[in-house]
Amino acid sequence: MSDILEKIKTYKLEDVAKRKAAKPIANVEAEANAAPPTRGFAESLIDAAREGYGLIAEIKKASPSKGLIREDFQPEKLAEAYAEGGATCLSVLTDGPSFQGDDSYLTAARNACTLPALRKDFMYDTYQVAEARALHADCILIIMASVSDTQAQELEEAAIAWGMDVLLEVHDAAELERACLLKSPLMGINNRNLKTFETTLDTTRTLSKLVPADRTIVCESGLNTPDELADMARYGARTFLIGESLMRKDDVAAATRTLLANPPQGGM
């Protein structure tokens, strides 16, 4: 595990312990049961990719490597802009220390449009999964580099029990092999090296060849142009998670529309 992931894991486990002490799991589960129905995150992505692209558009204020990304940060407005621009789903950062995220951003963004939403956070405990549903999430993220096989299975099973989907995130062949033991069809390939934070699309070019045919590749990080999306589509990736390059644009809806224009024909 990289130093940055180790640091995040340390404070995240402390945060989860504090949350458990402040709000018993029974209370969180009651809120989760009262949440509106899930919107079919994986189904929406897979359907979109059959003819065009499936885009998970990310609402992210800051990052550990780039610092503040967008000063004019209004989750509701950004969600509306992404929906207007043709995004399929949302990804909303809820981690505070490293990304300046907040739980309220997820609920606000999802309520502002009709798109399914991913709780983008570092998940280690099934308490966080119930919490995600209570915040109206439709999907959670499992970063294989940061959890054991047992943890990953417990988190996935909890998400399924709550009616949510799971985005599995891998960075190398070993993590991909482990992720294939799980059920989720969404296989996220992160092009960012978590040790150096350098980004290369060669990661997707290499790992895509190892992804089973019954899984959907979600290409993550380092995507900025329509040409790059078309290139990744040639390697079987027609669904993408993109945040920073869109978050920096003045007109987010127009930038999203431009990025998704003219996908290669053929679909999945």
Side-chain angles (χ1 to χ4, degrees), residues 13 16 19-20 24-26 28-29 32 119 122-134 140-142 147 150-162 164:
L13 290 175
V16 172
R19 287 174 181 243
K20 284 181 170 181
I25 184 64
V28 177
E29 289 177 344
R119 183 189 187 186
F122 301 85
M123 311 294 278
Y124 300 102
D125 192 300
T126 55
Y127 180 95
Q128 295 172 280
V129 182
E131 200 175 46
R133 185 78 277 267
I140 64 162
L141 176 73
I142 298 178
V147 295
T150 300
Q151 279 180 305
Q153 185 176 6
E154 289 175 350
L155 292 168
E156 183 182 60
E157 287 178 354
I160 292 170
W162 283 111
M164 290 188 291

Side-chain angles (χ1 to χ4, degrees), residues 207-218:
L207 293 184
S208 61
K209 300 169 186 175
L210 307 176
V211 177
D214 62 346
R215 308 292 175 118
T216 297
I217 298 171
V218 180

Side-chain angles (χ1 to χ4, degrees), residues 28-38 110 130-137 162:
V28 177
E29 289 177 344
E31 293 178 4
N33 281 317
T38 51
R110 187 186 184 276
E131 200 175 46
R133 185 78 277 267
L135 295 170
H136 301 182
W162 283 111

Side-chain angles (χ1 to χ4, degrees), residues 157-172:
E157 287 178 354
I160 292 170
W162 283 111
M164 290 188 291
D165 292 305
V166 176
L167 174 60
L168 304 171
E169 181 173 290
V170 304
H171 306 81
D172 59 34

